[in-house]
Structures are given as structure tokens and as C-alpha cells.
Amino acid sequence: MNPIRSRSARAIVIAAAAGSLALTGCSSNDSGKDAKDQSKSKQDAASQSKPVVYGDAGASAGPAAEVPGAKPGGTINIYTQSDLSHMDPGQIYVSDAGQFANLVHRKLTNYQEDDKGNLTVVGDIATDAGKSSNDGKTWTYTLKDGIKDEDGNAITSADVRHTIERQYSKVIFDGPSFVQTWLSGSDYRKALPDGPYKGKHLPDSVLSTPDAKTVVFNFDKPRPDLPQALSMAGYAIVPEKADTKEKYDKAPKSLGPYKIAEHKPGKSLKLVKNTNWDAKTDAVRHQYVDGYDFTTTIDQPSQTKRLIADQGEAKNAMQFTDSVDPAQTSTVIGDAAVNKRTIKGYQPYVWQMSFNLDRLKDKKVRDAITYAIPNQSMIQADGGKYGGELAGGLFAPTLPGFDASYDPFGKLKKPNGDPAKAKALLKEAGVAEGTKLTYAYSNTPRGQKQMVIIKDALAKIGFDVQAKEIDRATFYEQIGKIDNGFDLYMTGWGQDWASQSTVVTPVYDGTLVADGQPNYSHINDPQVNKLIEEALVLEPEAAAKKWEEAHKRIVEEINPAAPVYYSKQLQLFGSNIGGARYSTNSSYIDINRLYLIQP
């Protein structure tokens, strides 16, 4: 998210992210001559694309399996560069807020992850992953006993209904829209424009709560992915009595193991134990440490230096959604003791240069910019082979059926661009030397470094680039406005779960062009829209062919976003942090199982 947006963040997942892997200097990052190459490969990514399993009541029952060697007590220090983008679940679609949500919020379903990265969707506040009937069009959820918010109020089906219905209101503008769209169509806001705030509700034929423990979703088509959609942070429960509308983003109520004790915007955030969370109801989370202290003012180089040194309070500290500073990657990888305190993994994100099609209407111009982008320089600036890998398309290697040979813009042969071809295309398009382009970027080290590279590359083919800086916390909100005033902007997007549908639908579906939606290019192509509609009702194997057909049309015939690189993760933590591992689900340190070795 916006830290990269994605499946767990905007992500998602979209995500996700303006700054979650922020940059500094453009070092070669070959990790030193003596350091063994331990960067993750596309083969590693393929192992992350396995389909999930839906868990029954037994798999969904708490408590979560104990982490070997775990001890109670102590406070973990979190290092991050800025405030969270959101804390209201309905607004969460980015990676930093998604990690926060794992600690504070609960949903109908959640992901349970084993030591091999295999994922099972289990009931979170529900008794299981959901019961399907009516040929997959109806899903029924029963709530567990003993689910309460931080004030001790029991959570009922009315709170679940309220959570879904508030997504229809204008109060919510930055979260996922899968469930709302499936229930009420792409113009879902018209079905309940004020959400539940004026006493109106969706009809029982769409969403019903026959009793305090039961929630029933009714769709017009089979929705086999509903358990995965409901596991997104954006659908975490907002208790009806506690909902303060817009103000909820500043002080949400917890259902999870931790709650907010103190928040100093722009400075710090303190989480402490939620005494009304019951481990017996939770099959995923733990409450080993007493709390988490976030410092939201530590830039990426400083985070890395402190954690390399591993002194004092840094021993109990970790990076949240930031990565190792690219300029210090070789130091981290080259020192065995430091390297031992890292997690590495292939993220689901594709960094792409998104074009505003309302302003850059000529495909030749978009293609010219795509050819001009020096992809390899962008990767080198973000950690080299530990930060990413050159992208040929908009589907990440973590998706099923990934084609590593797909490279329509010839980036494998010319990884630092083809300025001559770009100039020729601009000449054909009749673009004059010195034409202005407005490029929006996030005010993070990574965003700033990307801006310098892009500005230089586009200047070489004749553009006068006007760079517009945007605060990291509001970056995706600003570029997510239809009338945003920008020609192009770098975005990161990752799948919300292991399906091409969660990339193509939210980002390239023309029926979802609206403020707050992740269709950042405003693409609205009838053929792509038709392929999406057809793919969504097919079985996975047949659907995959439709998604690939849509992908190729998007990349080759429309080009709303130039693929730049596939993202990798390298995170560092202190020597007192126990239980740390890479999470296939979040693509960061698995926040659900941490403890302190010496609390």
C-alpha cells in the first residue's frame, strides 16, 4: 500500500507501496564478492502461488498452535518512516495498515499459515471458513461464542452487517470493493448511498442476519473466493455502537490481541494487550508480548543502521513494512550474524508506471515512455537482486501460471531502456521537444530516487518533467482521485489472493473507475471488461486462459501501466526478536507469532 497495495495490504495488498521499501543511494548491491547470493528467485515465488485450503470448524478453533520456545512479556519496538495510512478497517487496503490490522482487528475469516508457507482460510470470528450452498451463490457464517470488542461488548451478526453496509457509504473511500460489488454490482454505492447510518439496510435477499449468531450472503453468481475476500483487513469488524464514521480512522476499537493505548500523529503509536481478546477463540494470533511501541519518524537508512548495530532497545526492534536500506544491503548479507536476523521473500507486487489515460491518450506516447524507462536502474536503486527483478508484464511471479518469458517491450534484451525507439515513437506521434509531463511521486527515499531516475530518462527523450511530491500517507488517496491532475505515477500492486482476478478486476476493470478505486489509469476498455465478466464465472483452469488473454490485451494493445519490476522483500530485526519468519500471506515478517527471547 501508500505502502504497496495488495492482498493484505493494497495491499492489498495495491499494495503495497509508496515507501514501504523506500530507497536511498543507487548502490550496485551485489552483496560483496565474498557473500553468497541468497536472493529469492522466480522458482521461490512459484512456491508462494499454491492455492489455499478452506478450513473446517476444527481448523478454526483456538487457541493457535504454540510457537516453539515462545516466552511471554516485554515490548517490541517498531521502526517505520511515517504514520499508518489508515486504522479504520474499511479504509485498509495497503501493507502497513494491513500489518497493523493483524494485531488489532478481526474478521469473519483469516489465513492460518504453516512453516512451509501453506495457507488455510479459517474462521476468525466465524466458526469456519464459511458454508456454501445454492451452487456457490449463498454463503452462511456462524459466529463463535465469546467474541468481544476491547470494551467487553459482545459482537453479534448485526455488527457484521454494519461492517459490510458501511462500505457502501462515502465515509469509506479507500478500501477493497470485492464483496460490495459482488452483492450489488459495480455501482454498489447506489444500493445504499448512506450506508447503514440512516437506518436503512440491504435487503435480506442480499445480506441477512436471521439471528444474533448467523450471517448469510446471497449472490447472483457463484462466489467461490468469498472466504478469501472476507479475510482482507478491509472487511474487519467495526462494532455498530462504536462506529464514529470519519473519526473512526483515528481511534478504532480492537477485537484483536492488542489495542491502541496512545497515538501521537506523526510521531508514535503505542499498542497494549486487549484484555477482552480470548485466545481460545483465535486460531491464528498470539499475545506473547505486552505491547508494541511504534516510532513513525525513523527513515530507512537509520532503521537499518540501528538494527545492524543491535544495541540497547534495537535488540527488541524490527522493521514493519520497510526493507533494508539498499545502500546497506551488502553489509547485511555479508555479515553472517546480521544476515541471520533477516527474512527474505518474493513479494506479490509489481511496480509499474501508471499512465492517466484521461491525459495521456496517445498509445504511442505511453509506449515511448515504457521503452524509455531504465528498469534495471530502478531495481538497482531498490536493493538490486535483493530488491526486485525485471518485469515483463503486470502479473507477478507469485501468481499461478506465471510466464517468465513474457516480455513484449524487450526489457530482457535492453534492461535499461531503448531511448532511440522511444524517440522514434514520439516523432510518429508528433510530440514536440520540451512537452511537459506531470509526474507525482511519494516523498519517501524510494519515491525520491525513482523520481530522479524517471525525470532523467524522460528528459533524454525530450520531455520536460514536472515532479510533484505527495506525502507518503496520502499518496494513493491523491492519485486515486479521478481528477488528480497528474499524467503519470509509480504504483505497486499485488494480488489479494492467488488469483489473477484480484489483479485484473480491481486495477483494470473499466466499470470500477471512481474516486478511491485502484483503477489508477482509468482504463475502460469494453473488450477487457467483457473478458473480466467471462473469467469471473469460470472454473480456475478455464478462467486462467481468460485472465491471460485480458492481461495481454492490457499490456500490448492498451498499455495503461508500464511494467517496471517485480518486488522482493529483505527485512531486518533485533537479536531479541523470537519467532520471526517470512509470511507468504503478508509478504513481510509474520507479525502473528512474535515474542521476545529476553523480555
Side-chain angles (χ1 to χ4, degrees), residues 126 160 170 174-175 199 204 244 265 273 308 369 427 474 476 575 580:
V160 179
K170 292 181 180 179
D174 210 19
D204 284 351
T244 52
K273 284 185 176 182
I308 289 173
I369 294 171
K427 187 175 181 180
T474 63
Y476 279 95
S575 59

Side-chain angles (χ1 to χ4, degrees), residues 21 140 256 287:
L21 304 173
T140 302
Q287 200 185 50

Side-chain angles (χ1 to χ4, degrees), residues 73 165 187 195 206 312 469 516-517 522 526 578 584:
E165 291 179 340
D187 56 351
V206 173
E469 182 179 278
Q517 292 297 324
H522 314 150
T584 298

Side-chain angles (χ1 to χ4, degrees), residues 338-370:
V338 178
N339 187 32
K340 189 170 65 174
R341 296 188 282 108
T342 65
I343 60 101
K344 305 176 184 73
Y346 223 111
Q347 294 192 306
Y349 308 124
V350 180
W351 277 101
Q352 53 205 268
M353 176 63 77
S354 291
F355 303 116
N356 185 337
L357 300 189
D358 296 334
R359 295 164 67 97
L360 292 179
K361 297 182 179 181
D362 192 331
K363 182 177 181 290
K364 287 182 179 178
V365 174
R366 302 195 296 273
D367 286 353
I369 294 171
T370 303

